[in-house]
């Protein structure tokens, strides 16, 4: 959301002044001198405990605001960025994070979750924890994006593996979607973690190629059962006719015994 | 069967998400969605009139929950088309509020320039071509294509409003930046003499030529009296301006 009335300074961020004073209490371990001071202060523990509660509450509120401001375009947040920008002490991160998770879920119906990016860095995304009742709840642009995404994800799911990107582009062409438009949307979907693009290199061949698969966000937001049901309906077949997809949607290995399938079918009925 | 709205529930959450997704949404449209949401979560069916009343109650409860995060859902009757909107606004004044990832600093600057050029215009509008040309002030940091896309986006989210091929100040800008706009002290932006809020495209009394009102405010007043609330002379101004 634009904030035109104030100067646009997302690069020149300055922390709200209220959090500075209490910050020191929790960060004091970093320096020896400060450490000694805090030891001397042990007699005033109750005072610092009060500070620390206030601090945690304030930081939790700030984290909720931050997450809401950074959720509108679905680009993941970097955990390292927000801990730095909100000056969240490492020691208290879990408590603050859990507090914010609870508020986001209770008030906004949003799930805040961590997704590992690399071994050391983590990404944060939010997605709705309540079912979408009608597409009217989304804005027009999002509706258009979701329609295209649903087709792509369904295609990938029915093909049952990482699919060479060229195949997806060909499929899109058949639907009258230009390669250029697809590429533009694909870039956004990858950034939003709906799609994952992998480079495949074959030994002895010069040309590497790319495959597409479901991204982490897609796995959280889309129900494979619903996709299978939708596709089966279009094909005028029963979802069970697609045996591999049926097993994948219902979360077990297709090579396992037939009995399990029947059991799960009964449960699902 | 009654609709239980006492406890904060998925009805509230779905309504809040809808307003947030849209930024600005017509009351009628939100009301239709609200009816579907209530039916899905509680099997409760209601007519439009009841839904509107319930929706107002739900929004009130939502506001109690989100005010501590400097947010509020405002019901705004837009002066240009007399349509009621629900607007999701941020009331924050801290640096934290500026932290967002939707627009970069140049795009925000483009918004600021559009906003400024609209606000200094008597009719609070700008020609689309003039708006697009503001992009040239940004040394190519915002391309023409991007500027067009941003304008469309700011129109759908209600910051601006397109009518008769002009771009006007939208319901979201008027609600979210009300204080800023008032503080600018521009002569052509009048306050409603009855409710004190900004009366953009308001109606001015024919006799005193100074008192300005929201159409709905003066209509309500004139139902009881036929005189201008300010100069006490007979009201002669037409409601269609």
């Amino acid at each position: 959301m634009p904030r035109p009335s104030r100067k646009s300074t997302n690069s020149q961020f300055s922390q709200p002044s209220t959090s500075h004073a209490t910050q020191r209490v929790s960060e004091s371990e970093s320096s020896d001198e400060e450490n000694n001071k805090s030891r001397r202060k042990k007699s005033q523990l109750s005072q610092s405990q009060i500070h620390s509660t206030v601090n945690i509450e304030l930081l939790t509120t700030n984290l909720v605001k931050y997450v809401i401001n950074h959720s509108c375009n679905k680009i993941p947040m970097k955990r390292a960025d927000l801990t730095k920008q909100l000056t969240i002490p490492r020691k208290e991160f879990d408590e603050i994070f859990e507090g914010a998770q609870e508020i986001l879920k209770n008030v906004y119906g949003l799930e805040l979750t961590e997704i590992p990016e690399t071994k050391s860095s983590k990404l944060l995304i939010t997605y709705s924890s309540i079912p979408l009742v009608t597409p009217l709840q989304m804005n027009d642009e999002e509706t258009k994006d979701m329609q295209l995404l649903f087709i792509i994800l369904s295609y990938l799911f029915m093909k049952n593996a990482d699919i060479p990107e060229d195949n997806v582009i060909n499929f899109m062409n058949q639907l009258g979607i230009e390669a250029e438009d697809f590429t533009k949307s694909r870039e956004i979907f990858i950034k939003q973690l709906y799609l994952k693009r992998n480079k495949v290199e074959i030994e002895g061949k010069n040309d590497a190629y790319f495959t597409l698969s479901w991204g982490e966000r897609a796995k959280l937001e889309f129900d494979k059962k619903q996709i299978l049901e939708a596709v089966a309906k279009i094909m005028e077949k029963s979802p069970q006719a697609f045996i591999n997809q049926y097993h994948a949607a219902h979360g077990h290995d297709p090579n396992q015994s037939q009995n399990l399938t029947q059991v799960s079918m009964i449960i699902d009925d | 069967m009654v609709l239980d709205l006492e406890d904060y529930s998925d009805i509230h959450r779905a309504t809040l998400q809808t307003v947030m997704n849209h930024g600005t949404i017509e009351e009628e449209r939100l009301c239709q969605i609200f009816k579907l949401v209530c039916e899905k979560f509680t099997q409760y069916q209601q007519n439009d009139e009841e839904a509107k009343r319930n929706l107002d109650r739900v929004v009130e409860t939502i506001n109690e929950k989100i005010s501590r995060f400097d947010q509020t859902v405002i019901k705004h009757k837009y002066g240009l088309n007399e349509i009621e909107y629900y607007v999701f606004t941020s009331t924050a004044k801290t640096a934290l509020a500026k932290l967002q990832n939707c627009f970069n600093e140049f795009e925000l600057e483009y918004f600021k320039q559009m906003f400024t050029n609209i606000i200094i215009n008597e009719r609070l509008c700008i020609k689309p071509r003039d708006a697009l040309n503001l992009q040239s002030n940004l040394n190519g940091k915002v391309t023409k294509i991007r500027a067009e896309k941003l304008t469309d986006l700011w129109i759908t989210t209600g910051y601006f409003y397109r009518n008769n091929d002009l771009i006007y100040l939208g319901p979201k800008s008027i609600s979210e930046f009300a204080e800023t706009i008032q503080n600018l002290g521009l002569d052509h932006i009048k306050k409603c003499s009855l409710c004190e809020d900004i009366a953009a495209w308001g109606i001015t009394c024919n006799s005193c030529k100074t008192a300005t009102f929201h159409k709905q405010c003066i209509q309500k007043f004139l139902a009881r009296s036929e005189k201008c609330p300010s100069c006490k002379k007979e009201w002669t101004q037409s409601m269609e301006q």
Side-chain angles (χ1 to χ4, degrees), chain B residues 42-207:
Chain B
T42 63
Q43 281 78 52
Y44 185 80
Q45 295 190 344
Q46 55 200 316
N47 63 31
D48 286 355
E49 212 171 298
E50 189 190 355
K52 275 185 189 178
R53 277 199 311 273
N54 284 331
L55 181 57
D56 276 336
R57 276 177 63 203
V58 164
V59 168
E60 200 179 312
T61 315
I62 289 172
N63 281 336
E64 281 164 22
K65 291 262 179 188
I66 63 174
S67 65
R68 60 183 274 226
F69 305 110
D70 304 326
Q71 296 156 351
T72 171
V73 176
I74 295 174
K75 198 174 178 183
H76 178 85
K77 192 162 192 171
Y78 186 51
L80 212 58
N81 58 12
E82 295 289 313
I83 289 176
E84 294 263 21
Y85 290 92
Y86 284 94
V87 185
F88 182 77
T89 63
S90 166
T91 53
K93 303 263 183 308
T94 59
L96 180 69
K98 286 178 218 146
L99 268 185
Q100 45 78 35
N101 60 352
C102 291
F103 309 106
N104 66 37
E105 55 182 309
F106 303 106
E107 294 169 347
L108 288 177
E109 182 57 34
Y110 179 59
F111 181 89
K112 201 176 152 190
Q113 293 210 8
M114 255 180 98
F115 183 85
T116 314
N117 276 275
I118 288 175
I119 204 104
I120 57 172
N121 176 287
E122 286 257 334
R123 293 289 299 159
L124 303 176
C125 61
I126 191 171
K127 285 182 190 148
R129 196 197 300 169
D130 293 343
L132 198 57
N133 283 339
L134 292 171
Q135 157 269 354
S136 59
N137 300 343
L138 298 163
N139 303 323
K141 299 284 188 189
V142 178
T143 62
K144 275 216 162 158
I145 294 168
R146 178 70 182 151
E148 252 173 352
K149 203 150 188 199
L150 285 169
T151 308
D152 285 345
L153 180 66
W154 290 328
I155 289 169
T156 25
T157 45
Y159 281 108
F160 303 129
Y161 179 83
R162 193 193 286 265
N163 189 32
N164 290 332
D165 212 26
L166 285 170
I167 298 171
Y168 289 85
L169 198 63
K172 190 170 166 105
S173 290
I174 298 177
S175 324
E176 189 157 291
F177 311 125
E179 212 184 308
T180 316
I181 295 170
Q182 288 196 344
N183 287 346
L184 289 171
L186 294 166
D187 283 343
H188 63 277
I189 298 178
K190 306 261 184 352
K191 272 192 205 174
C192 170
S193 299
L194 286 164
C195 75
E196 302 255 297
D197 281 340
I198 298 170
W201 315 285
I203 288 184
T204 309
C205 168
N206 233 354
S207 308

Side-chain angles (χ1 to χ4, degrees), chain B residues 1-20:
Chain B
M1 198 172 134
V2 280
L3 181 61
D4 180 19
L5 295 174
E6 286 307 307
D7 294 327
Y8 196 84
S9 69
D10 280 351
I11 291 178
H12 296 81
R13 293 178 195 109
T15 306
L16 175 57
Q17 281 185 8
T18 305
V19 183
M20 285 170 80

